[in-house]
Amino acid sequence: MTKRITALLLSIICCLGLLTACYDRNIDGETIKGAEIKLYLAEPVYDLDPALCYNNDSALQLAGLLFDTLFAINSDGKVVNSIVDDYEIFEDENTKEYYMMLYLKEGNCWSDGSVVSAEDVVYSWKRILNASFNSEAACLLFDIKNARKAKLGDCSIDDVGVYAHDSLTLQVNFEGKINYDQFILNLTSPVLAPLKENVVDDYADWSKRATTAIYSGPFMVRRVNYGLSDDGSVNMETAELVLERNPYYRRTKDDKHLDKSVTPFRLIVDMSISKEEQLEKFAAGEIFY
């Protein structure tokens, strides 16, 4: 799955040179501050909660554009730091204590300008591991102390071994000595991306609307149309997601360059045609991504 997301991001980057003439256009009174790229997804998307996106391949690919992860996979297929700046592994064979300290970068921000914190990580992981929350992502965290027990309802979620020492320092305690490289690889998955507690808890449908969610990835949802009619029927010909550049992605408020880390201004995601039609149009040179 992570390879697909990487491929999608690389496709976007590769086409930027073809679209440099698209900057600062004015369309119907609206200033378009950068390139627009149209993408096509065959499977409809109705929910962009990253913790649930293993159930929808299209949502999983979009989640990688909307939510940043602690680690990422680069264009060479290697795991690299993303939200994390550095980490340390501690092992004490005498006390049988095994844990990891993760130090987050200071420049990671949500699309509202607030800082992505260690508390956001703790909240999102405990949400996934809560026995009442149905997510296939939980198994990726079972190396954490008491994570499996909490998911089964055999202990309190407060007993799970993940703690925020301060806003940028995260401690993860393990059941024992684990494959640390595999655990870090798990953390490249968008399903484990940090979430903002006050957004998720305050808005029941936060992940289905453009007006309530905030994002930590390179893009944010600007408009969404799921193709749902007033009578409950679905018209996929009108289904569309519009993503726009997150102005705070790896950029401080004082930086004058809005496109410092993200060059395209807008991604238009079309979900109106089937996979078979997409392949035909791609082969005919009518669509590109």
Side-chain angles (χ1 to χ4, degrees), residues 230-287:
D230 293 337
D231 60 2
S233 62
V234 179
N235 179 11
M236 290 311 297
E237 291 186 1
T238 64
E240 182 182 73
L241 273 168
V242 176
L243 311 184
E244 287 186 3
R245 179 172 56 216
N246 175 1
Y248 293 112
Y249 179 69
R250 299 182 183 177
R251 173 185 168 272
T252 65
K253 293 182 179 180
D254 297 328
D255 200 311
K256 295 180 180 180
H257 302 286
L258 284 171
D259 59 351
K260 177 181 179 181
S261 300
V262 186
T263 305
F265 173 65
R266 180 174 289 164
L267 304 180
I268 300 172
V269 184
D270 188 315
M271 299 178 286
S272 66
I273 58 179
S274 68
K275 185 181 297 184
E276 291 73 24
E277 290 176 296
Q278 287 184 33
L279 289 173
E280 290 177 5
K281 289 179 178 292
F282 180 78
E286 296 177 24
I287 65 175

Side-chain angles (χ1 to χ4, degrees), residues 114-135:
S114 60
V115 175
V116 179
S117 70
E119 288 89 349
D120 296 329
V121 180
V122 173
Y123 168 75
S124 60
W125 289 5
K126 285 188 174 182
R127 175 176 179 253
I128 289 171
L129 291 170
N130 197 300
S132 63
F133 187 76
N134 185 20
S135 172

Side-chain angles (χ1 to χ4, degrees), residues 1-215:
M1 292 297 184
T2 49
K3 290 182 179 179
R4 293 184 185 180
I5 295 166
T6 301
L8 179 59
L9 287 166
L10 287 175
S11 297
I12 294 169
I13 292 168
C14 289
C15 70
L16 296 183
L18 301 175
L19 296 166
T20 52
C22 298
Y23 277 81
D24 295 319
R25 293 170 295 140
N26 192 284
I27 300 177
D28 297 328
E30 179 185 13
T31 300
I32 308 300
K33 299 179 180 179
E36 285 188 337
I37 301 173
K38 193 160 189 177
L39 310 175
Y40 294 84
L41 293 174
E43 189 175 0
V45 177
Y46 298 109
D47 195 325
L48 291 169
D49 184 340
L52 302 176
C53 64
Y54 270 164
N55 300 320
N56 183 298
D57 190 55
S58 292
L60 182 64
Q61 295 189 58
L62 290 175
L65 298 172
L66 298 172
F67 297 97
D68 204 357
T69 47
L70 273 69
F71 296 88
I73 296 178
N74 67 12
S75 57
D76 296 322
K78 298 183 182 299
V79 176
V80 296
N81 294 354
S82 190
I83 290 176
V84 167
D85 182 46
D86 198 5
Y87 66 91
E88 295 180 282
I89 296 170
F90 298 88
E91 296 181 342
D92 190 326
E93 296 294 346
N94 294 323
T95 61
K96 300 300 179 184
E97 290 183 321
Y98 306 89
Y99 63 96
M100 178 184 291
M101 300 296 294
L102 298 162
Y103 308 104
L104 309 188
K105 296 175 183 175
E106 294 184 6
N108 299 300
C109 290
W110 295 100
S111 52
D112 65 353
S114 60
V115 175
V116 179
S117 70
E119 288 89 349
D120 296 329
V121 180
V122 173
Y123 168 75
S124 60
W125 289 5
K126 285 188 174 182
R127 175 176 179 253
I128 289 171
L129 291 170
N130 197 300
S132 63
F133 187 76
N134 185 20
S135 172
E136 295 178 358
C139 62
L140 298 176
L141 297 171
F142 280 172
D143 282 331
I144 299 175
K145 188 172 184 178
N146 292 325
R148 189 187 299 267
K149 289 181 180 179
K151 193 64 183 176
L152 294 173
D154 294 335
C155 73
S156 168
I157 195 67
D158 295 328
D159 295 328
V160 174
V162 56
Y163 313 96
H165 281 271
D166 55 48
S167 62
L168 296 176
T169 307
L170 183 74
Q171 179 174 336
V172 184
N173 293 355
F174 300 107
E175 294 283 1
K177 191 170 184 177
I178 67 164
N179 183 337
Y180 300 105
D181 289 338
Q182 180 60 55
F183 182 74
I184 289 172
L185 179 62
N186 290 351
L187 301 186
T188 66
S189 175
V191 297
L192 301 182
L195 295 175
K196 193 82 166 174
E197 182 175 2
N198 63 341
V199 172
V200 177
D201 286 353
D202 291 352
Y203 303 97
D205 58 352
W206 69 273
S207 57
K208 300 177 182 179
R209 301 175 60 188
T211 56
T212 51
I214 61 173
Y215 306 93

